[in-house]
């Protein structure tokens, strides 16, 4: 097990990454944050609970109150927040209650937001069960839900008291989800960790086969990168922006396709390819670096085909949350292992990048159908 | 005009209390927090906007986007938060946008919560238009909405960037609202400011007649008391609890009567009378102090009759947000001008206090009907 320390102005907490944490979850939480309160809530999805509920529950002396969030981005909304806070109020929740968000990124985002606003804020613990949630959404305190107008438009910054990332859980993940999650590690390497890029290039087979040692290395390094960035910039005023590499176009893709055509990590994967193109055009990365990073993304893909018009994606980028006061902020890689934020990206540049991305998707589909013949 | 400084760990801001601030609101905001952003939202009620909208709007060079919240506690809910954040997203709101909450306590609570969660938090300014909002809800950063299960069960701590309390606006208030608001000043005096108690005793006629100088004095002193308490205890872990004097029974009264029978200040007035009784029984105040404070409350009343069974009120006190881990916290006055928090109040004591309060309400009604004969 590896322990990664996160220190922000508003909170300090540890992320524990290792195998077999679930079976001893309750004592681990008590060792970290002290005696459990009278009322403990676990927010989870029916699927996760069916697989791991028994393991988790037997670690508690007193049974926690289990709340369910059905799977899917469509339940990451205000209606769920209202329903869950009402259930907590009816089950005797108070300001001292603890919430455990046990599931993927959506459970973490909704659970964290519910904890942020129930009785004006109660403590919570993240127990992420997908690769993506382990390396990304469980660290950093960004919590929230979607509106029909866009993703994560309602939320808060609320740091967990601890994060327990059990690598063993990933063994039950569908391969597609693992691959989508690995996009966050690819991103971590591109923006901040050249050595991780090399490791992922050299150990792609082991990582993709789910080798526990390789996975723990990739996950811990990814979390460490994010923890370092979040520790320096809790409220996303500066440095933390770089974590959004690929997200402007990625979110736009999700919006333009109604969140249904692809996983978040896959959208970010495509968004990173668009961004790499823009960076190459601007010269912040060389053509050789472009090829190496695009190859890495597609190695950890394969990314799904894109059936969407360029104009629709480009239009969706203008509602991006990273825009402040009408200024369009954009994260660009600088070489391999560094990144920066620029504010002068033009609509024409974004259009060209989106066109390249859609063209790349088409050529991959053609290659695939040729290979299938 | 008086300026009161609020300093909490998370924010420092000024409260401006004086006459005629609305006509120059926009330049005042710019002087305080800097250049206005591209998109400014004003959340207000149709009534307030009809009276003061023109004054406020002409102070802006670029027209702000006006959002409306219909009057009444029933709109202080999650549905309003969802509607308002959606309208803001559609109107081009971004992370740099400013929200101005212009209205009574409900507008302030909902507006502050919308600002706390829109795009994970945007800056906001309070422009309270009722006595209660000016002295209470606009200072301290407690924002939120109700659930069917209880008041303020969903919310956040989000400090405004500035508060502008225009005393001139109070002239248009119905007398009942002014009196209900003055309960907060009575409370301020009882828990922290003996001199304010005396001033309110000696100048009751002027204050109740709406004399501008007397009102500014009472409002500024009340805000100063609250600012001092909030500055020492932003997140309500200790001292700030004393601001809840009368609120345990007051909230229970509101819950038991469905929030419709009385104004919040009136419920707190009754709650304070129950609390004074409990304090007298425990000996933290003398019978003479009890009489003096009860008289002050009823002088600034008259409080509405109570048509509710004691058992219903007592039952509603157990859902109080101030309860942590099953411990029932209760604020008791200590003499005049001081207060403390106790955790050992028994259900029997609360029942006796509620019975006294209901009996007092009945005897007042009898006296009233005798006087009318």
């Amino acid at each position: 097990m590896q322990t990664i320390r996160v220190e922000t102005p508003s909170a300090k907490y540890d992320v524990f990454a290792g195998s077999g944490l679930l079976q001893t979850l309750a004592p681990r939480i008590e060792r970290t944050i002290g005696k459990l309160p009278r009322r403990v809530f676990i927010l989870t999805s029916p699927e996760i609970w069916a697989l791991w509920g028994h393991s988790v529950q037997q670690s508690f002396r007193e049974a926690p109150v289990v709340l369910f969030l059905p799977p899917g981005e469509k339940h990451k909304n205000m209606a769920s927040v209202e329903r869950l806070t009402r259930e907590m109020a009816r089950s005797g929740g108070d300001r001292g209650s603890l919430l455990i968000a046990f599931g993927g990124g959506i459970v973490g985002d909704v659970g964290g937001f519910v904890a942020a606003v129930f009785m004006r804020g109660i403590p919570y613990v993240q127990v992420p069960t997908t690769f993506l949630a382990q390396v990304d959404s469980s660290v950093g305190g960004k919590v929230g839900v979607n509106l029909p107008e866009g993703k994560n438009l309602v939320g808060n910054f609320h740091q967990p008291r601890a994060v327990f990332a059990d690598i063993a859980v990933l063994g039950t993940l569908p391969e597609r989800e693992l691959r989508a999650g690995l996009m966050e590690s690819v991103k971590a390497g591109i923006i901040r960790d050249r050595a991780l890029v090399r490791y992922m290039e050299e150990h792609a087979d082991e990582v993709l086969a789910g080798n526990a040692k390789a996975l723990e290395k990739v996950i811990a390094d990814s979390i460490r990168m994010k923890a370092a960035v979040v520790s320096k910039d809790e409220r996303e005023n500066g440095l933390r922006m770089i974590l959004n590499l690929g997200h402007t176009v990625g979110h736009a893709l999700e919006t333009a396709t109604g969140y249904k055509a692809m996983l978040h990590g896959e959208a970010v994967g495509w968004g990173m390819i668009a961004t790499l193109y823009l960076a190459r055009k601007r010269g912040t990365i060389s053509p050789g670096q472009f090829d190496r990073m695009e190859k890495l993304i597609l190695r950890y893909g394969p990314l799904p085909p894109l059936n969407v018009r360029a104009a629709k994606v480009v239009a969706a980028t203008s509602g991006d949350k990273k825009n402040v006061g009408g200024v369009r902020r954009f994260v660009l890689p600088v070489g391999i292992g560094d990144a920066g934020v620029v504010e002068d990206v033009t609509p024409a540049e974004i259009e060209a990048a989106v066109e390249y991305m859609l063209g790349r998707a088409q050529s991959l589909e053609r290659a695939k159908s040729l290979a299938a013949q």
Side-chain angles (χ1 to χ4, degrees), chain A:
Chain A
M1 188 180 74
Q2 299 198 33
T3 305
I4 299 133
R5 185 76 174 163
V6 184
E7 299 204 356
T8 74
S10 74
K12 301 184 201 317
Y13 60 94
D14 286 317
V15 181
F16 303 92
S19 282
L21 308 184
L22 292 186
Q23 286 72 12
T24 48
L25 185 63
R28 282 178 191 279
I29 292 176
E30 289 208 311
R31 220 173 303 144
T32 312
I33 71 169
K35 192 172 168 297
L36 289 176
R38 197 177 53 102
R39 193 63 86 232
V40 175
F41 295 94
I42 298 186
L43 177 66
T44 188
S45 70
E47 288 78 357
I48 290 293
W49 197 247
L51 282 169
W52 302 99
H54 181 72
S55 297
V56 167
Q57 197 149 25
Q58 56 74 32
S59 76
F60 287 84
R61 276 188 306 272
E62 275 183 76
V65 177
V66 182
L67 309 167
F68 289 102
L69 188 68
E73 189 88 29
K74 73 168 183 285
H75 295 288
K76 184 179 164 178
N77 61 14
M78 290 288 273
S80 293
V81 174
E82 183 166 15
R83 173 178 65 78
L84 293 167
T85 49
R86 293 188 61 182
E87 284 184 31
M88 288 165 71
R90 283 197 299 268
S91 310
D94 64 27
R95 289 183 188 179
S97 299
L98 174 73
L99 186 137
I100 299 170
F102 177 45
I106 293 172
V107 165
D109 287 356
V110 174
F113 187 55
V114 163
V117 301
F118 181 67
M119 304 249 172
R120 296 201 186 90
I122 62 168
Y124 77 112
V125 164
Q126 294 277 20
V127 186
T129 58
T130 65
F131 191 98
L132 182 60
Q134 293 189 350
V135 305
D136 184 34
S137 34
S138 70
V139 180
K142 282 170 69 174
V143 296
V145 297
N146 304 327
L147 293 178
E149 284 72 15
K151 284 191 69 154
N152 296 315
L153 291 183
V154 169
N156 215 250
F157 288 90
H158 190 46
Q159 303 292 347
R161 300 289 288 271
V163 180
F164 297 89
D166 191 337
I167 313 286
V169 175
L170 303 184
T172 59
L173 273 191
E175 191 197 326
R176 186 179 165 194
E177 269 189 41
L178 178 65
R179 285 172 177 273
L182 282 160
M183 283 302 144
E184 292 294 325
S185 296
V186 171
K187 187 193 76 182
I190 290 177
I191 61 178
R192 219 68 190 161
D193 190 345
R194 206 185 163 80
L196 180 57
V197 167
R198 169 135 322 147
Y199 183 89
M200 292 186 76
E201 285 173 337
E202 290 172 356
H203 299 81
D205 291 339
E206 293 149 74
V207 173
L208 285 167
N211 173 290
K213 203 171 138 253
L215 269 184
E216 187 175 305
K217 154 84 179 157
V218 168
I219 286 176
D221 280 359
S222 306
I223 293 175
R224 197 167 287 117
M225 185 285 303
K226 181 156 187 194
V229 169
V230 168
S231 295
K232 285 192 192 128
D233 175 26
E234 181 176 24
R235 311 264 319 177
E236 204 164 32
N237 297 311
L239 181 62
R240 188 163 170 170
M241 280 280 310
I242 68 168
L243 297 174
N244 290 317
L245 181 86
H247 279 61
T248 300
V249 174
H251 276 169
L253 262 182
E254 289 178 291
T255 305
T257 56
Y259 301 117
K260 277 174 295 221
M262 67 194 86
L263 300 171
H264 177 67
E266 293 170 343
V268 170
W270 277 124
M272 286 196 288
I273 286 178
T275 303
L276 288 173
Y277 178 84
L278 210 161
R280 188 183 72 183
K281 282 285 166 193
R282 284 206 167 201
T284 66
I285 61 173
S286 69
Q289 290 170 329
F290 172 87
D291 289 342
R292 202 177 140 194
M293 291 188 276
E294 190 188 58
K295 197 175 155 202
L296 183 67
I297 294 167
L298 294 173
R299 175 73 183 89
Y300 281 85
L303 298 173
L306 298 177
N307 299 309
V308 58
R309 284 180 309 107
K312 204 171 170 191
V313 180
V314 172
T317 62
S318 67
D320 197 74
K321 257 206 321 307
K322 286 174 284 305
N323 300 332
V324 177
V327 175
R328 184 196 290 263
R329 293 196 178 163
F330 207 92
V331 187
L332 283 184
V334 178
I336 296 180
D338 199 6
V341 179
V342 293
E343 299 193 337
D344 60 349
V345 166
T346 64
E349 279 179 289
I350 290 187
E351 209 177 309
V354 168
E355 294 283 8
Y356 171 79
M357 173 187 78
L358 296 179
R360 198 76 185 82
Q362 269 184 352
S363 70
L364 286 171
E365 283 308 296
R366 268 199 308 275
K368 217 197 291 176
S369 69
L370 278 173
Q373 280 174 8

